[in-house]
Amino acid sequence: MLLTTEFERVSYPLADDFTISRGTQTAAENVVVRITDDGGMTGVGAAAPSAHYGETADTVEAVLPELLDVVESVGDPHGIAKIERGMRERVGRNPAARAGVEIALHDLASKRLGLPLYRQWGLDADEAPPTSFTIGLDDTETMREKTEEAVEAGFPVLKVKLGTDRDEEIVEAVRDAAPEATIRVDANEAWTPREAVAKTEMLASYDVEFVEQPVPAADPEGLRFVYERAALPLAADESCVTLADVPRVADRTDVVNLKLMKCGGLSEATRMVHAARAHGLEVMLGCMIESNAAIAAACHLAPLLDYADLDGALLLGEDDYEGVPIEDGEIRLRDLNRSGTGARRTD
């Protein structure tokens, strides 16, 4: 079979500046990948690189010719395992670049079968948890207003970014604006271990569900210290990047937060889900700020999860792709009337 490939770098403005403890983002650089078979059917994916993990749009563009050469050499969109292995041999790291290619392959393979991806995998759409909606750092009043907007839009779960000297003030304002919402918080590595323990005690009084990445990933013993003393469950994000990290954090967290752009794609994320289950961990799937060309694929893993944080495309000011319908936070896979991942250009 003849497969042709191409990619395109796209910059998406955000609906609002997005701030976490490490800095502020005003736009999202994605690289869209397209793989077309000899019948003219095209699969779409996207890489959403993060400089925190050593990738940029420039590095993605630099390695994609090598990765796509593997795709064209194998020439079979259903040969995903062989292509995935070949990509790893050619390019050892660059997980977002590999994820963008693998998403496009899964999209094309499912389209050729005439099935949405979750049905190809035999998953139950009714098991998908709701996605959270993220409230980025800002002045407290703005965070309150964004919380009110999210509640009015129907989101039952909110993820609140923390890591400031006014964390309690922020959480108090968010809880006041969303008294019925499930609230999770994410410190993005901002706290010391002892500070994190004290923060969990404070956060428990506001009925927070769990705390994500309280301490730096470079301090695994600090994470263990917090885990053994925390008043709330913990989730590991920056501390859990690849499959090999799952057993490393199993004795110091309750939840692992997986991301396609951290681990290299849908296949590796699925392996990480099963590894987490084997270690008695709960699983969340998160995202970068991504076009629906990428987020749509992640949504199909939702039935395997305990928690979803797949709002990346909702934070964009514009997106030239639409994906899996999300309504009131519900990932509505059953409403998807297209095969593949459901990613489709809007123009």
Side-chain angles (χ1 to χ4, degrees):
M1 182 186 302
L2 177 65
L3 295 179
T4 58
T5 63
E6 60 181 344
F7 60 89
E8 174 189 13
R9 182 169 174 168
V10 183
S11 180
Y12 297 107
L14 304 192
D16 297 292
D17 291 356
F18 185 75
T19 300
I20 65 173
S21 61
R22 288 193 296 266
T24 299
Q25 186 173 349
T26 60
E29 294 279 338
N30 284 197
V31 182
V32 177
V33 176
R34 289 181 282 269
I35 302 172
T36 303
D37 67 13
D38 48 15
M41 188 171 288
T42 298
V44 176
S50 168
H52 185 71
Y53 297 105
E55 281 188 282
T56 65
D58 287 339
T59 66
V60 170
E61 288 186 303
V63 301
L64 274 176
E66 282 284 310
L67 300 178
L68 294 174
D69 183 63
V70 175
V71 173
E72 294 178 4
S73 297
V74 173
D76 180 5
H78 299 281
I80 293 174
K82 184 174 183 179
I83 293 171
E84 185 195 22
R85 184 170 62 249
M87 289 195 297
R88 286 178 181 274
E89 291 170 354
R90 292 277 193 99
V91 179
R93 300 198 180 199
N94 299 91
R98 289 187 282 112
V101 174
E102 205 213 29
I103 290 168
L105 284 166
H106 278 282
D107 186 37
L108 178 55
S110 295
K111 283 176 176 174
R112 288 171 58 84
L113 296 174
L115 291 172
L117 187 55
Y118 81 91
R119 289 200 61 209
Q120 181 189 340
W121 289 339
L123 300 181
D124 182 357
D126 294 335
E127 291 298 306
T131 181
S132 56
F133 185 83
T134 305
I135 308 297
L137 283 173
D138 212 315
D139 65 80
T140 304
E141 188 54 37
T142 298
M143 293 182 73
R144 178 195 294 273
E145 291 169 1
K146 289 182 177 179
T147 298
E148 291 171 348
E149 291 170 2
V151 170
E152 188 172 340
F155 288 96
V157 184
L158 304 177
K159 177 174 173 176
V160 182
K161 295 292 188 177
L162 296 181
T164 73
D165 58 3
R166 53 190 174 86
D167 285 342
E168 183 168 9
E169 176 185 310
I170 289 169
V171 174
E172 182 179 18
V174 169
R175 175 51 79 198
D176 183 62
E180 303 300 323
T182 297
I183 295 176
R184 303 161 187 164
V185 304
D186 183 5
N188 287 113
E189 308 180 273
W191 301 328
T192 66
R194 292 190 182 280
E195 182 183 15
V197 172
K199 295 275 190 180
T200 65
E201 294 170 357
M202 174 272 290
L203 293 167
S205 68
Y206 292 96
D207 195 25
V208 167
E209 186 177 28
F210 58 76
V211 177
E212 188 177 336
Q213 200 61 44
V215 299
D219 185 11
E221 289 309 308
L223 184 62
R224 186 200 300 275
F225 179 91
V226 181
Y227 174 69
E228 291 175 347
R229 296 163 177 81
L232 292 171
L234 303 185
D237 178 3
E238 288 89 341
S239 293
C240 188
V241 178
T242 68
L243 178 61
D245 291 325
V246 174
R248 292 178 185 140
V249 302
D251 63 349
R252 61 201 71 190
T253 194
D254 302 280
V255 184
V256 287
N257 183 9
L258 318 180
K259 294 177 182 174
L260 303 187
M261 301 301 152
K262 289 192 303 184
C263 71
L266 293 158
S267 298
E268 185 76 346
T270 302
R271 290 188 285 267
M272 291 180 74
V273 169
H274 296 317
R277 298 296 187 207
H279 283 87
L281 298 168
E282 292 187 303
V283 182
M284 176 164 64
L285 186 64
C287 60
M288 307 304 180
I289 301 182
E290 309 170 12
S291 163
N292 273 305
I295 288 286
C299 288
H300 289 262
L301 283 174
L304 296 177
L305 310 174
D306 299 290
Y307 312 105
D309 179 32
L310 298 174
D311 63 341
L314 301 176
L315 302 176
L316 296 175
E318 58 186 56
D319 187 359
D320 46 9
Y321 284 86
E322 61 183 13
V324 176
I326 294 178
E327 184 176 331
D328 296 334
E330 183 182 355
I331 300 169
R332 302 180 67 90
L333 288 168
R334 287 202 182 278
D335 289 350
L336 186 63
N337 57 9
R338 302 185 292 279
S339 58
T341 67
R344 180 173 64 181
R345 283 194 70 96
T346 56
D347 55 17

